[in-house]
Amino acid sequence: MTILRSPRLDDGTARGIPDATVARLPIYLRALNALTERGVSTCSSNELAENAGVNPAKLRKDLSYLGSYGTRGVGYDVEYLRYQIAREIGQTQDWDVVIVGVGNLGSALSAYQGFSTRGIRVAALVDADPRRIGTTISGQTVSSLDDLGAIVSERNISIGIIATPGTAAQEVADRLVAAGITSILNFAPALVQVPDGVDVRKVDLSIELQILAYHEQRKAGTDKVVNA
Amino acid sequence: MTILRSPRLDDGTARGIPDATVARLPIYLRALNALTERGVSTCSSNELAENAGVNPAKLRKDLSYLGSYGTRGVGYDVEYLRYQIAREIGQTQDWDVVIVGVGNLGSALSAYQGFSTRGIRVAALVDADPRRIGTTISGQTVSSLDDLGAIVSERNISIGIIATPGTAAQEVADRLVAAGITSILNFAPALVQVPDGVDVRKVDLSIELQILAYHEQRKAGTDKVVNA
DNA sequence: CCTTGTGAAGCTGTTCACAGCC
DNA sequence: GGCTGTGAACAGCTTCACAAGG
């Protein structure tokens, strides 16, 4: 039997949620947390969609992949829906991550406040530079890249963050994979190749700005035409 | 006349390039730079696609939105194509950006090596905290958020980066817009509302990890079934 | 009456496969 | 012969509009 990327499997459980939906579930979770803090206990798809910055129909379709957690004519129970989404995206447990590279970016990430409330725990910092190994950053001792395997298996870490220069990215990725890591978030401006079964997501700081620059250029160019 | 989002306008110039393509052009640029450094002066779509990590057909279609810059039976001239893409995405000039918030993340961004070679120049740093104002970070003096208007118009800045906590994000966005900024890169974990004509892109560090965590959870759950 | 959940339509993006051209 | 450029088929995502149901 081949497993297809279909919304539902034959056992009836909602599975194979579309990528675009998965990427928005954390946003909904954040919006629901904000509503809880404001003391709101029930909300409509309109309200929640507004708080999340999406179209209400899209929100309802997204939620429909998880199950039927709303009540027609009423809306959604904030706490109940929050729990269901949290469970779906694995937010009922904490996820330990290892950061490779404690330069400016790696250090900033290790101190980032936003992780802990989202179920992310920075469990280890490693670097290849001997001058950094042994130093303390955000209360954690920096270990050697050579100890990666031991650290990953010891602490049961499955997610790694690459925060090195681009030139080191592939080598670091190889080491992460060898250490047993199966999900990588890559901040280095370089393409990394990994075997099947390992997920890589890439965040490229320059590219985001370059995209904005493209639109700026277009605005500047069309001003003459549009504001005629 | 209404301006539609069509690949070509009637004047024949290639305009209205699809968003997905725009997002990849900087990647192609990077791949071309890498080829130049290796002394490669001509390449096929296969070669370039491999370096960029995309399907060759997609690469060719992307490039076709810019014009016909290849030679059938031969391939692309690396330097020529590099220039054409650079021109298209506004990379022939440098873009000045202002970073708002010089906490860990803002400081890391101000020191980020990857910007300068991609036509991005961090021209100013501002913060609301009086203890930070006047300090020097990466060779730049931190100014007051209150001076944003003067700084932006004086240095002709059109792109702003929000690197503050989520609670300050909307206020900062409002100030950026008031100062004349028309493109914003938002690192704060919060939705910001801006008027029409202002572009916002969002980079959410937690969400990227949450997406990876979701896939990790799925891998863990299906292991039992798949490895039966 | 109100709001969810969802088929169906429409749109955007990707991939195929081949005509066109060097 | 070989590689580009592109129409056409395909796949995925978004939006609409309404039936279903509290």
Side-chain angles (χ1 to χ4, degrees), chain A residues 3 15-17 19 22-23 26-27 29-30 50-53 87-91 95 97 104-105 108-109 111-112 114-115 118 120 158-159 161 182-185 187 189-191 193 197-219 226, chain B residues 3 15-17 19 22-23 26-27 29-30 50-53 87-91 95 97 104-105 108-109 111-112 114-115 118 120 158-159 161 182-185 187 189-191 193 197-219 226:
Chain A
I3 297 180
R15 287 279 154 258
I17 298 172
D19 290 345
V22 170
I27 300 173
L29 208 45
R30 182 167 295 168
E50 179 135 350
N51 276 272
R87 190 174 53 80
E88 188 66 44
I89 66 173
Q91 187 85 254
W95 292 88
V97 305
N104 287 296
L105 186 58
L109 291 173
Y112 188 60
F115 288 151
R118 263 89 219 180
I120 307 294
S158 51
I159 301 176
I161 298 179
T182 45
S183 287
I184 295 174
L185 183 56
F187 284 94
L191 186 69
Q193 312 271 4
V198 178
D199 284 316
V200 178
R201 292 187 68 85
K202 188 162 150 49
V203 174
D204 197 307
L205 306 172
S206 299
I207 286 182
E208 296 301 323
L209 289 169
Q210 287 174 280
I211 294 170
L212 287 173
Y214 166 80
H215 290 295
E216 275 302 315
Q217 189 191 35
R218 295 217 57 198
K219 284 181 206 165
V226 172
Chain B
I3 297 181
R15 287 278 152 258
I17 297 172
D19 291 345
V22 170
I27 301 174
L29 208 46
R30 182 166 296 167
E50 179 136 350
N51 278 273
R87 189 174 53 79
E88 188 66 42
I89 66 173
Q91 186 84 253
W95 292 88
V97 306
N104 288 297
L105 185 59
L109 291 173
Y112 188 60
F115 288 151
R118 262 91 218 178
I120 307 292
S158 51
I159 300 176
I161 298 178
T182 45
S183 287
I184 295 173
L185 182 56
F187 283 94
L191 186 68
Q193 311 271 4
V198 178
D199 284 315
V200 179
R201 291 187 70 85
K202 189 162 151 47
V203 174
D204 198 306
L205 306 173
S206 299
I207 287 180
E208 297 301 323
L209 289 169
Q210 287 175 279
I211 294 170
L212 287 173
Y214 166 81
H215 290 294
E216 275 302 315
Q217 189 191 35
R218 294 217 58 198
K219 283 180 207 166
V226 172

Side-chain angles (χ1 to χ4, degrees), chain A residues 49-214:
Chain A
E50 179 135 350
N51 276 272
V54 302
N55 176 306
K58 192 193 287 189
L59 170 73
R60 290 202 301 277
K61 180 144 292 238
D62 282 343
L63 296 183
S64 78
Y65 292 118
L66 314 191
S68 292
Y69 298 133
T71 310
R72 291 170 201 235
V74 179
Y76 300 93
D77 181 279
V78 172
E79 190 49 38
Y80 181 61
L81 183 59
R82 200 202 59 74
Y83 173 72
Q84 293 299 342
I85 296 178
R87 190 174 53 80
E88 188 66 44
I89 66 173
Q91 187 85 254
T92 46
Q93 60 176 285
D94 273 3
W95 292 88
D96 283 341
V97 305
V98 54
I99 298 177
V100 181
V102 289
N104 287 296
L105 186 58
S107 301
L109 291 173
S110 71
Y112 188 60
Q113 302 292 321
F115 288 151
S116 60
T117 52
R118 263 89 219 180
I120 307 294
R121 188 167 50 203
V122 178
L125 307 177
V126 308
D127 203 296
D129 186 341
R131 285 168 299 181
R132 286 175 179 162
I133 296 167
T135 61
T136 300
I137 292 176
S138 306
Q140 301 230 26
T141 305
V142 178
S143 303
S144 167
L145 180 56
D146 295 327
D147 298 335
L148 194 61
I151 292 168
V152 165
S153 55
E154 213 169 83
R155 311 202 192 175
N156 213 30
I157 300 174
S158 51
I159 301 176
I161 298 179
I162 301 178
T164 65
T167 47
Q170 183 61 57
E171 152 100 30
V172 168
D174 293 343
R175 287 198 185 219
L176 284 168
V177 171
I181 291 288
T182 45
S183 287
I184 295 174
L185 183 56
N186 178 24
F187 284 94
L191 186 69
V192 301
Q193 312 271 4
V194 295
D196 282 1
V198 178
D199 284 316
V200 178
R201 292 187 68 85
K202 188 162 150 49
V203 174
D204 197 307
L205 306 172
S206 299
I207 286 182
E208 296 301 323
L209 289 169
Q210 287 174 280
I211 294 170
L212 287 173
Y214 166 80

Side-chain angles (χ1 to χ4, degrees), chain B residues 13 24 57 64-65 67 75 80 86 105 110 132 148 156 158 161-162:
Chain B
T13 44
R24 282 187 295 264
S64 78
Y65 292 117
Y80 181 61
L105 185 59
S110 70
R132 286 175 179 161
L148 194 61
N156 212 29
S158 51
I161 298 178
I162 301 178

Side-chain angles (χ1 to χ4, degrees), chain B residues 124-137:
Chain B
L125 307 177
V126 308
D127 202 297
D129 186 339
R131 285 168 298 181
R132 286 175 179 161
I133 297 167
T135 61
T136 300
I137 293 176

